[in-house]
Amino acid sequence: MGLWLPNLEYLNLGSNQLVGSFPMSISNASRLRVLNMSHNYISGSIPDTLGNLRNLEMLNLEANNLTSSGMGFLSSLTNYPALELLSFGDNELISGELPGSLGNLSSTLQIFFAARCNIRGSIPDSVGELINLVSLDLSANNLSGDIPRSLEQLRYLEYFNVSFNRLDGKILDGWSFGNWKNIANLDFSGNNFSGAMPDRICDLNSGLRYLGLNDNQLEGALPLSLINCTDLVILNVAKNRLSDTFPHWLGALPKLRVLVLSSNRFHGSIQDSIATSFFTKLQMLDLSSNAFTGLLPTNFFHNLKALSEVVEYEYDNYRYSVNVTIRGLELPFTITVAIPVFTCIDLSNNGFHGEIPEAVGELSMLLALNLSHNSLTGPIPTSFGDLAALESLDLSFNKLSGSIPSQLTSLTFLEVLRFQNNNLVGHIPRGKQFETFENKSYAGNLDLCGFPLSKECSNGEGSETEKHDQVNGKGMAFIWKVVLMGYGSGLVFGISMAYVVFTTGRPWWLVRMIERDLKEKIRSWIPKKKRN
């Protein structure tokens, strides 16, 4: 299309269904200050002639089908005297290296989003010259090498994401973090970082809220300096080689809601005589695939107040994405720190033994519980009937005995049930969600009978089950109320850049970056509810 509007200052074509190549004539709008063409189907190359737009303050081309080979267009932007937001991520076929010099951008650029666009090579020292940078996202590219020490001087930085590249070496080795006083999000996940975890991230008691170190090759113990991260909301160190006992001391962090330690070499018991106030805000706990042993401590579950009652939280503008795998669900689930987060406990693939505490049944806000692949014995607690919000329950591959409590038929949100390979006996309860589960939910329990199994129950088996429920259970009648505030989305920064925001009053381009993936994962993970 032709475009010759020499006085045009603002052009917002984002989130439409535009197709075709990038309109070259836009380069003639010499007074243009804001250009948004994101979330369309625009293809072809990004023209180098965008460098003619010397008054540009915001350029957002993310989430299109742009196929530029090389980063020549970026070199053409380096002389912009006013550019403060630059976003061209989510264009999968852009390739090339970041330029060694970023010119005038070093004194103006505040938000740089270049995720998922096949950038290769190393992170150049020139990125450290972007002295006013607030947000830097280079995630999901083909970057290699280490993180240059020059980035230490980015004193206004709040959001830093280099996840899922091919970076290596030790993470921020020798850094003092003296300038990173505003950092709230650090994501190093999905790389080849090795050695110990950085020990001085929270030396300055920064407002760090998210720390992602998962999917690397880190070794050693968790640094005790993490206790200084008093604003920490999410800590994810899954899939490393960390070797340590259970970090009870993290329970003193007043805002910690998500703790993911899975697939490491943590060991020993999680029992301890700790203060009753510990872990009171925790809403997601994943200790799966470690070497933990011992009993499941009753007091530990009593402490999880955020899972047993509706907790009022002060609204948190910072929301971050974290990937966890609930093993019973077989799919990764992307969450954000909203209120509440996706609530779950995964203690699977460890060496826990003994009985399951009745206190677990007090966690009425819990959505997923996975205790599979341990050596747990005794009955399934009848208190599980009080887990009113539960959607997934996996107790498979243990040594549980006794009958299945009829109280579990009250769990009307239950979508996933796995009891296989235990020593359960008697009649399988009927009614409500239990009518929807198939044979495989009960496989490997030779003395179970009744629907959906082909083995029929004798009258004696049924009556014994009923007697057991009357003696040990509370019955099926109880009153519950669950307030679910939805699966929140978005990532919002406290950046006072009013002209960068369009009509919504927030940097929605960052919100949608997470929101899009989240909605698709939710649709694929949770099927339509079945209720009788």
Side-chain angles (χ1 to χ4, degrees):
M1 69 176 182
L3 180 64
W4 181 254
L5 299 172
N7 295 319
L8 185 67
E9 295 187 6
Y10 175 96
L11 180 60
N12 179 12
L13 300 175
S15 299
N16 286 287
Q17 299 183 31
L18 300 178
V19 297
S21 59
F22 196 98
M24 303 293 288
S25 56
I26 286 181
S27 301
N28 297 323
S30 58
R31 294 189 179 183
L32 200 63
R33 296 172 61 231
V34 174
L35 174 59
N36 176 29
M37 303 184 70
S38 64
H39 297 274
N40 284 291
Y41 300 95
I42 301 171
S43 58
S45 298
I46 303 174
D48 296 350
T49 53
L50 283 180
N52 298 335
L53 304 179
R54 302 285 303 222
N55 294 310
L56 207 60
E57 296 173 355
M58 172 182 176
L59 175 60
N60 189 356
L61 305 177
E62 70 172 83
N64 279 285
N65 296 321
L66 295 167
T67 58
S68 295
S69 59
M71 304 290 284
F73 76 95
L74 185 56
S75 298
S76 72
L77 302 179
T78 58
N79 291 322
Y80 280 27
L83 194 64
E84 297 197 19
L85 186 150
L86 174 60
S87 176
F88 54 85
D90 287 309
N91 286 284
E92 295 295 340
L93 298 182
I94 294 175
S95 62
E97 299 184 9
L98 295 174
S101 174
L102 295 176
N104 287 340
L105 290 179
S106 61
S107 61
T108 61
L109 197 64
Q110 295 188 39
I111 295 180
F112 188 14
F113 175 60
R116 295 176 294 278
C117 54
N118 285 332
I119 301 175
R120 63 177 185 267
S122 60
I123 300 175
D125 287 331
S126 58
V127 175
E129 299 172 2
L130 303 175
I131 57 175
N132 288 306
L133 205 61
V134 174
S135 172
L136 175 62
D137 192 338
L138 301 175
S139 61
N141 283 293
N142 291 307
L143 294 167
S144 57
D146 57 8
I147 300 174
R149 185 72 180 263
S150 63
L151 270 62
E152 187 179 9
Q153 62 191 3
L154 300 178
R155 58 178 179 164
Y156 299 114
L157 200 62
E158 296 182 15
Y159 180 89
F160 180 73
N161 190 348
V162 292
S163 63
F164 295 96
N165 281 282
R166 294 184 290 120
L167 299 169
D168 54 26
K170 294 183 178 180
I171 296 179
L172 311 185
D173 188 30
W175 287 34
S176 67
F177 298 96
N179 288 328
W180 284 24
K181 296 179 181 179
N182 299 310
I183 196 69
N185 182 99
L186 282 175
D187 197 342
F188 303 100
S189 59
N191 283 285
N192 297 312
F193 292 117
S194 59
M197 285 179 56
D199 189 37
R200 305 184 64 184
I201 287 179
C202 296
D203 277 4
L204 298 174
N205 292 317
S206 69
L208 186 65
R209 303 187 183 198
Y210 173 83
L211 179 57
L213 297 168
N214 52 289
D215 294 88
N216 281 288
Q217 301 174 37
L218 301 177
E219 300 176 337
L222 296 177
L224 293 175
S225 60
L226 287 176
I227 200 64
N228 296 324
C229 298
T230 54
D231 287 327
L232 195 63
V233 176
I234 294 178
L235 175 61
N236 188 353
V237 297
K239 297 183 181 179
N240 280 286
R241 301 171 183 174
L242 298 172
S243 179
D244 199 355
T245 56
F246 182 70
H248 288 284
W249 46 274
L250 287 177
L253 296 177
K255 299 180 181 180
L256 188 65
R257 302 189 203 174
V258 177
L259 177 60
V260 184
L261 306 180
S262 59
S263 300
N264 277 284
R265 299 170 183 173
F266 288 94
H267 55 273
S269 173
I270 65 172
Q271 294 190 85
D272 197 10
S273 55
I274 58 176
T276 57
S277 61
F278 277 26
F279 292 113
T280 56
K281 299 291 181 67
L282 202 63
Q283 295 175 284
M284 176 179 286
L285 175 65
D286 188 352
L287 307 182
S288 62
S289 299
N290 280 288
F292 289 116
T293 57
L295 303 175
L296 297 179
T298 297
N299 287 340
F300 181 85
F301 295 104
H302 278 314
N303 290 344
L304 304 177
K305 302 300 182 185
L307 292 176
S308 61
E309 58 192 48
V310 179
V311 179
E312 294 293 334
Y313 288 115
E314 183 178 335
Y315 183 75
D316 188 350
N317 279 332
Y318 286 86
R319 304 178 180 183
Y320 301 113
S321 176
V322 59
N323 288 325
V324 296
T325 300
I326 307 302
R327 296 184 179 279
L329 304 180
E330 298 178 348
L331 287 173
F333 186 77
T334 303
I335 66 161
T336 56
V337 179
I339 305 175
V341 297
F342 178 78
T343 56
C344 73
I345 293 178
D346 189 348
L347 306 183
S348 63
N349 286 282
N350 281 286
F352 293 115
H353 64 266
E355 295 191 3
I356 303 172
E358 289 279 345
V360 178
E362 299 173 1
L363 308 179
S364 59
M365 303 300 295
L366 197 60
L367 296 180
L369 174 63
N370 190 348
L371 302 178
S372 67
H373 292 87
N374 281 287
S375 297
L376 298 171
T377 57
I380 299 172
T382 56
S383 64
F384 276 20
D386 295 333
L387 297 175
L390 200 65
E391 298 181 4
S392 174
L393 175 61
D394 191 347
L395 303 179
S396 62
F397 293 91
N398 279 287
K399 301 175 182 179
L400 299 173
S401 58
S403 61
I404 299 174
S406 60
Q407 287 84 352
L408 270 61
T409 59
S410 298
L411 304 180
T412 55
F413 290 99
L414 200 60
E415 298 280 349
V416 176
L417 180 69
R418 293 183 175 171
F419 286 164
Q420 59 263 42
N421 291 87
N422 279 285
N423 300 314
L424 299 173
V425 301
H427 192 281
I428 297 173
R430 296 292 302 270
K432 299 182 180 178
Q433 294 300 92
F434 270 73
E435 302 294 324
T436 68
F437 302 128
E438 300 178 352
N439 290 19
K440 62 183 179 180
S441 293
Y442 310 102
N445 293 278
L446 299 181
D447 292 321
L448 281 178
C449 59
F451 180 86
L453 303 179
S454 58
K455 180 181 178 181
E456 295 183 0
C457 296
S458 66
N459 292 334
E461 288 174 307
S463 61
E464 287 299 317
T465 300
E466 292 172 0
K467 291 177 182 178
H468 179 274
D469 292 340
Q470 290 172 0
V471 172
N472 298 301
K474 300 177 181 178
M476 294 177 59
F478 65 93
I479 299 174
W480 56 269
K481 179 179 181 181
V482 177
V483 179
L484 292 179
M485 301 176 69
Y487 300 95
S489 62
L491 172 61
V492 184
F493 289 96
I495 303 172
S496 56
M497 266 172 45
Y499 62 87
V500 171
V501 182
F502 288 117
T503 59
T504 61
R506 57 178 178 161
W508 49 267
W509 62 278
L510 285 173
V511 173
R512 289 181 180 173
M513 177 180 70
I514 294 175
E515 187 177 62
R516 181 175 61 253
D517 293 337
L518 175 65
K519 289 181 178 178
E520 291 302 317
K521 291 283 178 63
I522 290 174
R523 290 193 191 101
S524 65
W525 178 74
I526 301 180
K528 185 178 180 181
K529 301 290 184 203
K530 303 174 184 177
R531 296 186 180 86
N532 291 337

